[in-house]
Amino acid sequence: MGQVLAMNRRQVLTAFAVLAALAGCSSDPGTRALLAGALPLRARAAEPNPDFAAAERAGAPALAAAVESRPEAIAVLRRQTVSEPDGVETMIAADGAQLMFQGGLLVGSRGFGADVMAAEVTQSAALVRGLSAGTSTRLMTLIDGNDHAVTRAFRCRITPGEIETVRIGPRAVPTRTMTEACRGALARFYNFYWVVPETGEIVQSSQWTGPLTGKISLRRIDPGRR
């Protein structure tokens, strides 16, 4: 298990090296142009999605994302909506692809193929954001190969790790690393989170989005903004 975990972390850190360039240079005019269009998670559209364009103009909080199995699939997503009362945050890319988060944990995706239609991650979120060790059950509703929505259960173990600094631009953000090791009939996977101890905010993560897309590395470009 230790060797598998180490291999997973190496792949994650490689993706974060790319995201760090986006997050760390966001004040540069050339990089600002990249952030506005970015590289697509899917095929490039002729014009940016209008909801993304509106969020860009409004200066909505941003998230850099990279599909770990496809290094060319890099994008910046902007906050589109925050739903009430569950607080699910929908982030949208220039090509219209969307990721949904609840407390920083991924609970949905649209536009990737074999999407995560919904997820119940309350137990995992409480442990991860509380920097606590323990076990949890997460439920994920995924689109299968027959285009049917199927719900799968995963048993997960949450483990606190070391204190690590995430550098975003001029800011050095101290975080506690958290590992979520999950196993179910469909798959076995590891999610990693970098959590700010004082606030419980997840500023960086690597999260599984199903068998087709695999894992996506994510980094907040502007941590602390709401």
Side-chain angles (χ1 to χ4, degrees), residues 102-208:
Q102 189 171 35
L105 276 68
L106 190 139
V107 295
S109 66
R110 300 294 184 273
F112 290 81
D115 283 314
V116 179
M117 301 308 295
E120 168 53 54
V121 297
T122 304
Q123 294 178 12
S124 290
L127 291 168
V128 168
R129 300 188 66 185
L131 307 179
S132 301
T135 57
S136 67
T137 298
R138 66 155 56 216
L139 302 175
M140 300 182 71
T141 300
L142 306 162
I143 298 298
D144 67 10
N146 297 315
D147 205 30
H148 296 147
V150 294
T151 300
R152 302 298 187 196
F154 299 89
R155 192 65 174 164
C156 305
R157 178 172 293 279
I158 316 296
T159 308
E162 299 178 350
I163 292 288
E164 293 186 12
T165 297
V166 176
R167 182 165 291 279
I168 300 178
R171 298 185 58 191
V173 183
T175 67
R176 171 76 68 181
T177 61
M178 301 292 292
T179 299
E180 181 187 24
C182 298
R183 179 179 297 193
L186 178 65
R188 176 182 177 182
F189 57 90
Y190 294 90
N191 290 334
F192 303 103
Y193 308 91
W194 282 254
V195 185
V196 179
E198 294 79 9
T199 64
E201 181 184 11
I202 297 169
V203 295
Q204 181 172 275
S205 64
S206 170
Q207 302 190 49
W208 190 71

Side-chain angles (χ1 to χ4, degrees), residues 10 13-14 17 20 22 26 31 35 52-54 61 64 66 73 79 83 86 119 121 123 135-136 177 184 219:
R10 282 197 296 271
L13 293 174
T14 298
L22 288 178
S26 59
T31 305
L35 296 182
F52 174 86
R79 180 189 289 166
S83 64
D86 56 11
V121 297
Q123 294 178 12
T135 57
S136 67
T177 61
R219 180 183 286 220

Side-chain angles (χ1 to χ4, degrees), residues 46-63:
E47 297 291 337
N49 178 281
D51 290 331
F52 174 86
E56 169 69 19
R57 288 192 299 271
L63 182 72

